């Protein structure tokens, strides 16, 4: 799963990029939008969000009716209509059952989650995720806030496999690292 301390640190952008790049390793990948308060994965891939995860959980029919293929090895389940009770969905057994089923059909499932400081959803999601990646926006997120987010994740034994420092400005000094040579 992907999370961050605050909103707009770049979770959706980064998770979409990583998932896309990983398809080059011939892995079958699924992105699920579980940021139900601010769903945005559909925008990254120009998909309709008329139906998605919330419909799959309600109707309990074939998951394939709700996956959208964006590349040969990359599928997306958009959020679907945003419910009045996002936390109920995130805490539901139905969600865990669906993710368990999906795990048999994909090599990796990337979950786009809400930011940690805002709501408890990401901590719930961390409990059933194999690994957590934390995006931190350069010069935006106070250290204390990032530490707090990490502490919350550790309190549920989340497996933090890495952090991404995002939005680093390209200056004269560090330009070299971004150039092709
Ligand atoms: N590395 C980056 N450089 C510049 N802008 C970025 C970068 N990553 C994300 N953004 C922009 O920041 C905004 C928030 O990104 P988004 O991925 O939607 O964040 P989140 O999912 O954490 O709310 C978007 O407008 C996005 O285009
Ligand atoms: Mg987002």
């Amino acid at each position: 799963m992907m999370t961050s301390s605050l909103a707009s640190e770049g979770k959706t952008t980064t998770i979409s990029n990583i998932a896309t790049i990983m398809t080059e390793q011939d892995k079958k990948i699924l992105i699920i939008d579980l940021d139900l308060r601010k769903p945005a994965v559909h925008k990254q891939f120009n998909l309709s969000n008329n139906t998605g995860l919330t419909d799959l959980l309600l109707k309990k029919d074939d998951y394939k009716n709700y996956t959208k293929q964006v590349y040969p090895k990359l599928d997306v389940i958009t959020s679907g209509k945003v419910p009045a009770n996002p936390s109920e969905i995130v805490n539901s057994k139905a969600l865990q059952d669906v993710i368990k089923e999906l795990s048999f059909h994909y090599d990796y499932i990337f979950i786009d989650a809400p930011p940690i400081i805002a709501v408890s959803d990401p901590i719930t999601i961390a409990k059933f995720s194999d690994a957590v990646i934390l995006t931190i926006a350069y010069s935006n997120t106070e250290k204390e806030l990032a530490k707090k987010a990490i502490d919350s994740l550790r309190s549920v034994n989340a497996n933090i496999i890495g952090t991404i420092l995002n939005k680093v400005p390209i200056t004269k000094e560090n330009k070299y690292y971004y150039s092709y040579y």
Side-chain angles (χ1 to χ4, degrees), residues 52-117:
L53 180 69
T54 51
D55 305 275
L56 171 58
L57 293 174
L58 268 175
K59 293 178 187 145
K60 297 192 162 84
D61 56 357
D62 191 346
Y63 77 90
K64 284 186 181 145
N65 295 334
Y66 301 94
T67 54
K68 290 156 190 154
Q69 190 186 49
V70 293
Y71 294 113
K73 295 246 160 198
L74 179 61
D75 289 352
V76 170
I77 298 183
T78 64
S79 69
K81 279 177 205 76
V82 180
N85 53 349
S87 294
E88 237 171 76
I89 291 200
V90 168
N91 283 286
S92 69
K93 183 169 180 296
L95 175 66
Q96 297 212 17
D97 290 347
V98 160
I99 290 179
K100 192 169 180 193
E101 191 202 343
L102 291 165
S103 70
F104 293 115
H105 302 281
Y106 292 91
D107 294 310
Y108 291 97
I109 299 178
F110 285 81
I111 298 177
D112 196 11
I116 289 175
I117 299 308

Coordinates of all heavy atoms in Angstrom, one line a residue, residues 52-117:
G52 N -16.9 0.7 -9.7 CA -15.5 0.4 -9.1 C -15.7 -0.5 -7.9 O -16.6 -1.2 -7.8
L53 N -14.7 -0.3 -7.0 CA -14.6 -1.1 -5.8 C -15.9 -1.1 -5.0 O -16.3 -2.2 -4.6 CB -13.5 -0.6 -4.9 CG -13.2 -1.4 -3.6 CD1 -12.7 -2.8 -4.0 CD2 -12.3 -0.7 -2.7
T54 N -16.5 0.0 -4.8 CA -17.7 0.0 -3.9 C -18.8 -0.8 -4.5 O -19.6 -1.4 -3.8 CB -18.2 1.5 -3.6 OG1 -18.3 2.2 -4.9 CG2 -17.2 2.2 -2.8
D55 N -18.9 -0.8 -5.8 CA -19.9 -1.7 -6.5 C -19.6 -3.1 -6.4 O -20.4 -4.0 -6.1 CB -20.0 -1.3 -8.0 CG -20.3 0.2 -8.1 OD1 -21.4 0.6 -8.1 OD2 -19.3 1.0 -8.3
L56 N -18.3 -3.4 -6.6 CA -17.8 -4.8 -6.4 C -18.2 -5.4 -5.1 O -18.7 -6.5 -4.9 CB -16.3 -4.9 -6.7 CG -15.6 -6.2 -6.4 CD1 -16.3 -7.4 -7.3 CD2 -14.2 -6.1 -6.7
L57 N -18.0 -4.5 -4.0 CA -18.2 -5.0 -2.6 C -19.7 -5.2 -2.4 O -20.1 -6.1 -1.7 CB -17.7 -4.0 -1.6 CG -16.1 -3.9 -1.7 CD1 -15.7 -2.8 -0.7 CD2 -15.5 -5.2 -1.2
L58 N -20.5 -4.3 -3.0 CA -22.0 -4.4 -2.8 C -22.6 -5.5 -3.5 O -23.4 -6.3 -3.0 CB -22.6 -3.1 -3.3 CG -22.8 -2.0 -2.3 CD1 -23.3 -0.7 -3.0 CD2 -23.8 -2.4 -1.2
K59 N -22.2 -5.7 -4.8 CA -22.9 -6.6 -5.7 C -22.3 -8.0 -5.6 O -23.0 -9.0 -6.0 CB -22.9 -6.1 -7.1 CG -23.8 -4.9 -7.2 CD -23.8 -4.2 -8.6 CE -24.6 -2.9 -8.5 NZ -24.0 -1.9 -9.4
K60 N -21.1 -8.1 -5.2 CA -20.4 -9.4 -5.0 C -20.4 -10.3 -6.3 O -20.5 -11.5 -6.2 CB -21.0 -10.2 -3.9 CG -20.9 -9.5 -2.5 CD -21.2 -10.4 -1.4 CE -20.7 -10.0 0.0 NZ -21.5 -9.0 0.7
D61 N -20.4 -9.6 -7.5 CA -20.4 -10.5 -8.7 C -18.9 -10.6 -9.1 O -18.0 -10.2 -8.4 CB -21.3 -10.1 -9.8 CG -21.1 -8.6 -10.2 OD1 -20.3 -8.0 -9.6 OD2 -21.8 -8.2 -11.1
D62 N -18.7 -11.1 -10.3 CA -17.3 -11.4 -10.8 C -16.4 -10.1 -10.7 O -16.8 -9.1 -11.3 CB -17.4 -11.9 -12.2 CG -16.1 -12.5 -12.7 OD1 -15.0 -12.2 -12.0 OD2 -16.1 -13.2 -13.7
Y63 N -15.3 -10.2 -10.1 CA -14.4 -9.0 -10.0 C -14.0 -8.5 -11.4 O -13.7 -7.3 -11.5 CB -13.1 -9.4 -9.2 CG -12.1 -10.2 -9.9 CD1 -11.1 -9.5 -10.6 CD2 -12.1 -11.6 -9.9 CE1 -10.1 -10.3 -11.3 CE2 -11.2 -12.3 -10.7 CZ -10.2 -11.6 -11.3 OH -9.3 -12.4 -12.1
K64 N -14.0 -9.4 -12.4 CA -13.6 -9.0 -13.7 C -14.5 -7.9 -14.3 O -14.2 -7.2 -15.2 CB -13.5 -10.2 -14.6 CG -12.3 -11.0 -14.4 CD -12.1 -12.1 -15.4 CE -10.9 -12.9 -15.0 NZ -11.0 -14.4 -15.3
N65 N -15.8 -7.8 -13.8 CA -16.7 -6.8 -14.3 C -16.3 -5.4 -13.8 O -16.8 -4.4 -14.2 CB -18.1 -7.1 -13.8 CG -18.6 -8.3 -14.4 OD1 -18.2 -8.7 -15.5 ND2 -19.6 -9.0 -13.8
Y66 N -15.3 -5.3 -12.8 CA -14.9 -4.1 -12.2 C -13.4 -3.7 -12.4 O -13.0 -2.7 -12.0 CB -15.3 -4.1 -10.7 CG -16.7 -4.3 -10.5 CD1 -17.2 -5.6 -10.3 CD2 -17.7 -3.3 -10.7 CE1 -18.6 -5.8 -10.2 CE2 -19.0 -3.5 -10.6 CZ -19.5 -4.8 -10.3 OH -20.8 -5.0 -10.2
T67 N -12.7 -4.6 -13.1 CA -11.3 -4.2 -13.4 C -11.2 -3.5 -14.8 O -12.0 -3.9 -15.7 CB -10.4 -5.5 -13.4 OG1 -10.9 -6.4 -14.3 CG2 -10.3 -6.1 -12.0
K68 N -10.4 -2.6 -14.9 CA -10.2 -1.9 -16.1 C -8.7 -2.1 -16.5 O -7.8 -1.7 -15.8 CB -10.5 -0.4 -16.0 CG -12.0 -0.2 -15.8 CD -12.4 1.1 -15.1 CE -13.9 1.1 -14.8 NZ -14.2 2.0 -13.6
Q69 N -8.5 -2.6 -17.7 CA -7.1 -2.8 -18.2 C -6.6 -1.6 -18.8 O -7.2 -1.0 -19.7 CB -7.1 -4.0 -19.2 CG -5.7 -4.4 -19.5 CD -5.7 -5.4 -20.6 OE1 -6.2 -5.2 -21.7 NE2 -4.9 -6.5 -20.4
V70 N -5.4 -1.1 -18.3 CA -4.8 0.1 -18.8 C -3.6 -0.2 -19.6 O -3.2 0.6 -20.5 CB -4.5 1.2 -17.8 CG1 -5.8 1.7 -17.2 CG2 -3.7 0.6 -16.6
Y71 N -2.9 -1.3 -19.3 CA -1.8 -1.8 -20.1 C -1.9 -3.3 -20.1 O -2.7 -3.9 -19.3 CB -0.4 -1.4 -19.5 CG -0.1 0.1 -19.5 CD1 -0.1 0.8 -18.3 CD2 0.0 0.7 -20.7 CE1 0.1 2.2 -18.4 CE2 0.3 2.1 -20.8 CZ 0.3 2.8 -19.6 OH 0.5 4.2 -19.6
P72 N -1.2 -4.0 -21.0 CA -1.4 -5.5 -21.1 C -1.3 -6.2 -19.7 O -2.0 -7.1 -19.4 CB -0.3 -5.9 -22.0 CG -0.1 -4.8 -22.9 CD -0.3 -3.5 -22.1
K73 N -0.4 -5.7 -18.8 CA -0.3 -6.4 -17.5 C -0.7 -5.5 -16.3 O -0.4 -5.8 -15.2 CB 1.2 -6.7 -17.3 CG 1.7 -7.8 -18.3 CD 2.1 -9.1 -17.6 CE 2.1 -10.2 -18.6 NZ 2.0 -11.5 -17.9
L74 N -1.4 -4.4 -16.6 CA -1.9 -3.6 -15.5 C -3.4 -3.3 -15.6 O -3.9 -2.8 -16.5 CB -1.1 -2.2 -15.6 CG -1.5 -1.2 -14.5 CD1 -1.2 -1.7 -13.1 CD2 -0.7 0.1 -14.8
D75 N -4.0 -3.8 -14.5 CA -5.5 -3.5 -14.3 C -5.7 -2.5 -13.2 O -4.8 -2.4 -12.3 CB -6.2 -4.8 -13.9 CG -6.3 -5.8 -15.1 OD1 -5.9 -5.4 -16.2 OD2 -6.7 -6.9 -14.9
V76 N -6.8 -1.8 -13.2 CA -7.1 -0.9 -12.2 C -8.6 -1.1 -11.7 O -9.4 -1.4 -12.5 CB -7.1 0.6 -12.7 CG1 -7.6 1.6 -11.8 CG2 -5.6 1.0 -13.1
I77 N -8.7 -1.1 -10.4 CA -10.1 -1.0 -9.8 C -10.3 0.4 -9.2 O -9.6 0.7 -8.2 CB -10.4 -2.1 -8.8 CG1 -10.2 -3.5 -9.4 CG2 -11.8 -2.0 -8.2 CD1 -10.6 -4.7 -8.4
T78 N -11.1 1.2 -9.9 CA -11.3 2.5 -9.4 C -12.1 2.5 -8.1 O -12.7 1.4 -7.8 CB -11.9 3.4 -10.5 OG1 -13.2 2.9 -10.7 CG2 -11.1 3.4 -11.7
S79 N -12.3 3.6 -7.5 CA -13.0 3.6 -6.2 C -14.5 3.2 -6.3 O -15.1 2.6 -5.5 CB -12.9 4.9 -5.5 OG -13.6 5.9 -6.2
G80 N -15.1 3.6 -7.5 CA -16.5 3.6 -7.5 C -17.1 4.8 -6.8 O -16.3 5.6 -6.4
K81 N -18.4 4.8 -6.7 CA -19.0 5.9 -6.1 C -18.6 6.1 -4.6 O -18.6 5.1 -3.9 CB -20.5 5.8 -6.2 CG -21.0 6.3 -7.6 CD -22.5 6.2 -7.8 CE -22.7 6.1 -9.3 NZ -22.4 4.7 -9.8
V82 N -18.2 7.3 -4.3 CA -17.7 7.5 -2.9 C -18.8 7.4 -1.9 O -19.8 8.1 -2.0 CB -17.0 8.9 -2.8 CG1 -16.4 9.1 -1.4 CG2 -15.9 9.0 -3.9
P83 N -18.7 6.5 -1.0 CA -19.8 6.3 0.0 C -19.7 7.3 1.1 O -18.7 7.9 1.4 CB -19.5 4.9 0.5 CG -18.0 4.8 0.4 CD -17.6 5.6 -0.7
A84 N -20.8 7.3 1.9 CA -20.9 8.2 3.0 C -20.1 7.7 4.2 O -19.7 8.4 5.1 CB -22.4 8.4 3.5
N85 N -19.8 6.4 4.1 CA -19.1 5.7 5.2 C -17.8 5.0 4.8 O -17.7 3.8 4.9 CB -20.0 4.7 5.9 CG -20.6 3.8 4.8 OD1 -20.4 4.0 3.6 ND2 -21.2 2.7 5.2
P86 N -16.8 5.8 4.3 CA -15.6 5.1 3.8 C -14.9 4.2 4.8 O -14.5 3.1 4.4 CB -14.7 6.3 3.5 CG -15.5 7.5 3.4 CD -16.7 7.2 4.3
S87 N -14.9 4.6 6.1 CA -14.2 3.7 7.1 C -14.9 2.4 7.2 O -14.2 1.4 7.4 CB -14.2 4.4 8.4 OG -13.4 5.6 8.3
E88 N -16.2 2.4 7.1 CA -16.9 1.1 7.2 C -16.5 0.1 6.1 O -16.3 -1.1 6.4 CB -18.4 1.3 7.1 CG -19.3 0.8 8.2 CD -20.7 1.3 8.1 OE1 -21.4 0.7 7.3 OE2 -21.0 2.3 8.9
I89 N -16.3 0.7 4.9 CA -15.8 -0.1 3.8 C -14.4 -0.6 4.1 O -14.1 -1.8 3.9 CB -15.9 0.7 2.5 CG1 -17.4 0.9 2.2 CG2 -15.1 0.0 1.4 CD1 -17.7 1.2 0.8
V90 N -13.6 0.3 4.5 CA -12.2 -0.1 4.7 C -12.1 -1.2 5.8 O -11.2 -2.0 5.8 CB -11.3 1.2 5.1 CG1 -10.0 0.8 5.6 CG2 -11.2 2.0 3.8
N91 N -13.0 -1.1 6.8 CA -12.9 -2.1 7.9 C -13.7 -3.4 7.6 O -13.8 -4.2 8.5 CB -13.5 -1.4 9.2 CG -12.4 -0.5 9.8 OD1 -11.5 -1.0 10.4 ND2 -12.6 0.8 9.6
S92 N -14.4 -3.4 6.4 CA -15.3 -4.6 6.2 C -14.6 -5.9 5.9 O -13.5 -5.9 5.3 CB -16.2 -4.2 5.1 OG -15.5 -4.2 3.8
K93 N -15.2 -7.0 6.2 CA -14.7 -8.3 5.9 C -14.8 -8.5 4.4 O -14.0 -9.1 3.8 CB -15.5 -9.4 6.7 CG -15.0 -10.8 6.4 CD -15.5 -11.8 7.3 CE -15.0 -13.2 7.0 NZ -15.3 -13.7 5.7
A94 N -15.9 -7.9 3.8 CA -16.1 -8.0 2.4 C -14.8 -7.6 1.6 O -14.4 -8.2 0.6 CB -17.3 -7.2 1.9
L95 N -14.2 -6.5 2.1 CA -13.0 -5.9 1.4 C -11.9 -6.9 1.5 O -11.2 -7.2 0.5 CB -12.6 -4.6 2.0 CG -11.3 -4.0 1.5 CD1 -11.5 -3.6 0.0 CD2 -10.9 -2.8 2.2
Q96 N -11.7 -7.4 2.7 CA -10.6 -8.4 2.9 C -10.8 -9.6 2.0 O -9.9 -10.2 1.5 CB -10.5 -8.8 4.4 CG -10.2 -7.6 5.2 CD -9.4 -8.0 6.5 OE1 -8.8 -9.0 6.5 NE2 -9.4 -7.1 7.4
D97 N -12.1 -10.1 2.0 CA -12.4 -11.3 1.1 C -12.0 -11.0 -0.3 O -11.5 -11.8 -1.0 CB -13.8 -11.7 1.3 CG -14.1 -12.2 2.6 OD1 -13.2 -12.5 3.4 OD2 -15.3 -12.4 3.0
V98 N -12.4 -9.8 -0.8 CA -12.2 -9.5 -2.2 C -10.7 -9.4 -2.5 O -10.2 -9.9 -3.5 CB -12.9 -8.1 -2.6 CG1 -12.3 -7.5 -3.8 CG2 -14.4 -8.3 -2.8
I99 N -9.9 -8.7 -1.6 CA -8.5 -8.6 -1.8 C -7.8 -10.0 -1.8 O -6.9 -10.3 -2.6 CB -7.9 -7.6 -0.7 CG1 -8.4 -6.2 -1.1 CG2 -6.3 -7.7 -0.8 CD1 -7.9 -5.2 -0.1
K100 N -8.3 -10.8 -0.9 CA -7.8 -12.2 -0.8 C -8.0 -12.9 -2.2 O -7.1 -13.5 -2.7 CB -8.4 -13.0 0.3 CG -7.7 -14.2 0.6 CD -8.1 -14.9 1.9 CE -7.3 -16.2 2.1 NZ -7.8 -17.0 3.1
E101 N -9.2 -12.8 -2.7 CA -9.5 -13.4 -3.9 C -8.6 -12.9 -5.0 O -8.0 -13.6 -5.9 CB -11.0 -13.2 -4.3 CG -11.4 -14.1 -5.5 CD -12.6 -13.7 -6.2 OE1 -13.4 -12.8 -5.7 OE2 -12.8 -14.1 -7.4
L102 N -8.5 -11.5 -5.1 CA -7.7 -10.9 -6.1 C -6.2 -11.3 -6.1 O -5.6 -11.4 -7.1 CB -7.8 -9.4 -6.0 CG -9.2 -8.8 -6.3 CD1 -9.3 -7.3 -5.9 CD2 -9.4 -8.9 -7.9
S103 N -5.8 -11.6 -4.8 CA -4.4 -11.9 -4.7 C -4.0 -13.2 -5.4 O -2.8 -13.5 -5.7 CB -4.0 -12.0 -3.2 OG -4.6 -13.1 -2.6
F104 N -5.0 -14.0 -5.7 CA -4.7 -15.3 -6.5 C -4.6 -15.0 -8.0 O -4.0 -15.8 -8.7 CB -5.9 -16.3 -6.3 CG -6.0 -16.8 -4.9 CD1 -7.1 -16.5 -4.1 CD2 -5.0 -17.6 -4.4 CE1 -7.2 -17.0 -2.8 CE2 -5.1 -18.1 -3.1 CZ -6.2 -17.8 -2.3
H105 N -5.0 -13.8 -8.4 CA -5.0 -13.5 -9.8 C -3.9 -12.5 -10.2 O -3.7 -12.3 -11.4 CB -6.4 -12.9 -10.2 CG -7.5 -13.9 -9.9 ND1 -7.8 -15.0 -10.7 CD2 -8.4 -13.9 -8.9 CE1 -8.8 -15.6 -10.2 NE2 -9.2 -15.0 -9.1
Y106 N -3.2 -11.9 -9.3 CA -2.2 -10.9 -9.6 C -0.9 -11.2 -8.8 O -0.9 -11.8 -7.7 CB -2.7 -9.5 -9.2 CG -3.8 -9.0 -10.1 CD1 -5.2 -9.3 -9.7 CD2 -3.6 -8.4 -11.3 CE1 -6.2 -8.9 -10.5 CE2 -4.7 -8.0 -12.1 CZ -6.0 -8.3 -11.7 OH -7.0 -7.9 -12.5
D107 N 0.2 -10.8 -9.4 CA 1.5 -10.9 -8.7 C 1.7 -9.8 -7.7 O 2.2 -10.1 -6.6 CB 2.7 -10.8 -9.8 CG 2.7 -11.9 -10.7 OD1 2.6 -13.1 -10.3 OD2 2.7 -11.7 -12.0
Y108 N 1.2 -8.6 -8.0 CA 1.3 -7.5 -7.0 C -0.1 -6.7 -7.0 O -0.6 -6.5 -8.1 CB 2.4 -6.5 -7.3 CG 3.8 -7.1 -7.1 CD1 4.5 -7.6 -8.2 CD2 4.3 -7.1 -5.8 CE1 5.8 -8.2 -8.0 CE2 5.6 -7.7 -5.6 CZ 6.3 -8.2 -6.7 OH 7.5 -8.7 -6.5
I109 N -0.5 -6.4 -5.8 CA -1.7 -5.5 -5.7 C -1.2 -4.2 -5.1 O -0.7 -4.3 -3.9 CB -2.8 -6.1 -4.9 CG1 -3.3 -7.4 -5.6 CG2 -4.0 -5.1 -4.8 CD1 -4.4 -8.1 -4.9
F110 N -1.3 -3.1 -5.7 CA -1.0 -1.8 -5.2 C -2.2 -1.1 -4.7 O -3.2 -0.9 -5.5 CB -0.3 -0.9 -6.2 CG 1.1 -1.3 -6.6 CD1 1.3 -2.3 -7.5 CD2 2.1 -0.6 -6.0 CE1 2.6 -2.7 -7.8 CE2 3.5 -1.0 -6.3 CZ 3.7 -2.0 -7.2
I111 N -2.2 -0.7 -3.4 CA -3.4 -0.1 -2.8 C -3.1 1.4 -2.6 O -2.2 1.7 -1.9 CB -3.9 -0.7 -1.5 CG1 -4.2 -2.2 -1.8 CG2 -5.0 0.1 -0.9 CD1 -4.6 -3.0 -0.5
D112 N -3.9 2.3 -3.2 CA -3.7 3.7 -3.0 C -4.5 4.1 -1.8 O -5.8 3.9 -1.8 CB -4.2 4.5 -4.2 CG -3.7 6.0 -4.2 OD1 -2.8 6.3 -3.4 OD2 -4.2 6.8 -5.0
A113 N -3.9 4.5 -0.7 CA -4.6 4.7 0.6 C -4.6 6.2 0.9 O -3.9 7.0 0.3 CB -3.9 4.0 1.7
P114 N -5.5 6.6 1.9 CA -5.5 8.0 2.3 C -4.3 8.4 3.1 O -3.6 7.5 3.5 CB -6.8 8.1 3.2 CG -7.5 6.8 3.0 CD -6.5 5.8 2.6
P115 N -4.1 9.7 3.4 CA -3.0 10.1 4.2 C -3.2 9.7 5.7 O -4.4 9.7 6.1 CB -2.9 11.6 4.0 CG -4.3 12.0 3.5 CD -4.8 10.8 2.8
I116 N -2.2 9.5 6.4 CA -2.3 9.0 7.8 C -2.8 10.0 8.8 O -3.6 9.7 9.7 CB -0.9 8.5 8.2 CG1 -0.6 7.2 7.5 CG2 -0.9 8.2 9.7 CD1 0.8 6.7 7.7
I117 N -2.4 11.3 8.6 CA -2.8 12.3 9.6 C -4.3 12.6 9.6 O -4.9 12.9 10.6 CB -2.0 13.6 9.4 CG1 -0.5 13.3 9.5 CG2 -2.4 14.7 10.3 CD1 0.0 12.6 10.7

